[in-house]
């Protein structure tokens, strides 16, 4: 009888121990799975937060660039300044350089809207030639460079770009604005004719002491046209400043 009792107790303990161990294992597995889910959530949130932070930082720098252009009229930031480095990074991103995440379509569009210079070498060359033209006008009072000189050829290229001729990349809005500021003659033939007629009028006054050209003469008619242009009459292109 005593042996039977002892055997019963041993079996009971074994049963209870097994059940306890099973519950312990089950609880451990459940905890591990729950822990994994908890750990996964912050990882996703952290990635999304970083993405938002990067976009915010990009937008802030873009607005700084917009303000820079508004204040200076160009995008040539000081060499090695934070804005200079940021622009350099955008070019590398756009060119798909290794180690740089590509720009989004929206970012490319925003940069294009402010005429971002993707190719700085070409932009520098253009600016140098433009400054040469500005100096030429300052020294000579006009933009009629010597025929077939480098400055003459450069002006011809700008006209072709403006007219959208095949094989010529279009001018940026900034480039058009800068050329307009110095009264660039987009139609060289018309400008030459106007200048010639003006010089004829100057000579007429020098010789006669007045500007009353003979009725219906070419000089008389030209003066009439200038008055109509100045008054903004329909069918007449306005005079330049």
């Amino acid at each position: 009888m005593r042996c039977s009792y002892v055997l019963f107790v041993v079996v009971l303990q074994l049963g209870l121990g097994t059940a306890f161990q099973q519950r312990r294992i089950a609880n451990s597995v459940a905890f591990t799975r729950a822990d994994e889910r908890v750990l996964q959530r912050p990882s996703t949130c952290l990635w999304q937060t970083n993405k938002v932070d990067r976009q915010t930082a990009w937008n802030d720098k873009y607005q700084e660039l917009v303000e820079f252009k508004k204040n200076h009229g160009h995008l040539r930031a000081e060499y090695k300044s934070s804005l200079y480095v940021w622009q350099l990074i955008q070019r590398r991103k756009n060119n798909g350089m290794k180690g740089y995440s590509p720009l989004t379509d929206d970012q490319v569009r925003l940069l294009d809207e402010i005429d971002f210079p993707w190719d700085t070498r070409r932009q520098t060359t253009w600016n140098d030639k433009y400054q040469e033209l500005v100096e030429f006008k300052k020294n000579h009072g006009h933009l009629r460079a010597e025929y077939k000189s480098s400055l003459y050829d450069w002006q011809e290229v700008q006209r072709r770009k403006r007219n959208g001729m095949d094989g010529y990349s279009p001018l940026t809005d900034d480039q058009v604005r800068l050329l307009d500021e110095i009264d660039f003659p987009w139609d060289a033939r018309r400008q030459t004719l106007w200048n010639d007629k003006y010089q004829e009028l100057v000579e007429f006054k020098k010789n006669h002491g007045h500007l009353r050209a003979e009725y219906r003469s070419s000089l008389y008619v030209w003066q009439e046209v200038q008055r109509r242009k100045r008054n903004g009459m329909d069918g007449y292109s306005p005079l330049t400043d």
Side-chain angles (χ1 to χ4, degrees):
M1 178 71 179
R2 182 178 178 80
C3 292
S4 299
Y5 174 76
V6 172
L7 181 61
F8 172 75
V9 170
V10 171
V11 171
L12 180 61
Q13 287 177 343
L14 289 173
L16 289 172
T18 301
F20 175 76
Q21 288 176 346
Q22 289 174 346
R23 285 196 299 274
R24 186 176 181 181
I25 292 171
N27 290 337
S28 177
V29 171
F31 173 78
T32 301
R33 289 173 178 170
D35 191 42
E36 287 176 353
R37 289 193 295 271
V38 170
L39 288 173
Q40 287 173 357
R41 286 195 206 102
S43 177
T44 303
C45 292
L46 182 61
W47 179 81
Q48 290 174 340
T49 301
N50 288 340
K51 185 178 180 181
V52 171
D53 288 345
R54 285 197 299 270
Q55 184 62 39
T56 301
W58 193 95
N59 290 335
D60 290 344
K61 211 65 183 175
Y62 173 77
Q63 287 303 320
E64 184 181 340
L65 187 62
V66 170
E67 286 298 314
F68 182 92
K69 183 175 182 180
K70 182 179 178 181
N71 295 331
H72 299 85
H74 58 78
L75 296 174
R76 299 184 299 279
E78 185 180 355
Y79 181 59
K80 287 190 177 181
S81 66
S82 64
L83 203 54
Y84 174 93
V85 173
W86 186 82
Q87 292 185 72
L88 186 62
I89 290 172
Q90 307 317 301
R91 295 184 189 102
R92 292 176 179 176
K93 285 173 172 279
N94 192 55
N95 291 331
M97 287 186 66
K98 190 175 180 180
Y100 292 88
S101 57
L103 292 170
T104 65
D105 291 341
D106 270 350
Q107 289 171 340
V108 172
R109 177 182 57 78
L110 287 169
L111 289 168
D112 281 341
E113 284 179 359
I114 59 171
D115 299 319
F116 184 77
W118 297 109
D119 189 336
T120 51
R121 186 182 60 80
R122 289 186 181 180
Q123 182 66 22
T124 301
T125 302
W126 193 95
N127 290 332
D128 290 343
K129 213 65 183 176
Y130 173 77
Q131 288 303 321
E132 184 181 340
L133 186 63
V134 170
E135 287 298 315
F136 182 91
K137 183 175 183 179
K138 182 179 178 181
N139 295 330
H140 298 86
H142 59 78
L143 296 174
R144 299 186 299 279
E146 186 180 354
Y147 181 60
K148 288 193 175 180
S149 65
S150 64
L151 202 55
Y152 175 93
D153 290 340
W154 187 81
Q155 292 185 72
E156 280 298 302
V157 170
Q158 307 318 300
R159 296 183 185 101
R160 292 171 186 175
K161 285 173 172 280
R162 180 69 184 276
N163 293 331
M165 289 184 66
D166 289 342
Y168 292 88
S169 57
L171 292 170
T172 65
D173 291 341
D174 260 357
Q175 290 171 340
V176 172
R177 177 182 58 78
L178 286 170
L179 289 168
D180 281 341
E181 285 178 359
I182 59 172
D183 298 322
F184 183 79
W186 296 109
D187 191 331
R189 188 180 62 81
R190 287 186 181 180
Q191 185 65 31
T192 300
L193 291 173
W194 193 95
N195 290 331
D196 290 345
K197 213 65 183 176
Y198 174 77
Q199 289 301 322
E200 184 182 339
L201 185 63
V202 170
E203 287 298 317
F204 183 92
K205 183 175 182 180
K206 182 179 178 180
N207 295 330
H208 299 86
H210 60 79
L211 295 174
R212 298 185 298 278
E214 185 181 353
Y215 182 60
R216 289 192 177 180
S217 66
S218 63
L219 203 53
Y220 175 92
V221 172
W222 185 81
Q223 291 184 73
E224 280 297 305
V225 170
Q226 306 318 301
R227 295 184 185 99
R228 293 174 185 178
K229 284 173 173 279
R230 181 64 186 275
N231 292 331
M233 290 184 65
D234 290 342
Y236 292 87
S237 57
L239 293 170
T240 65
D241 294 335

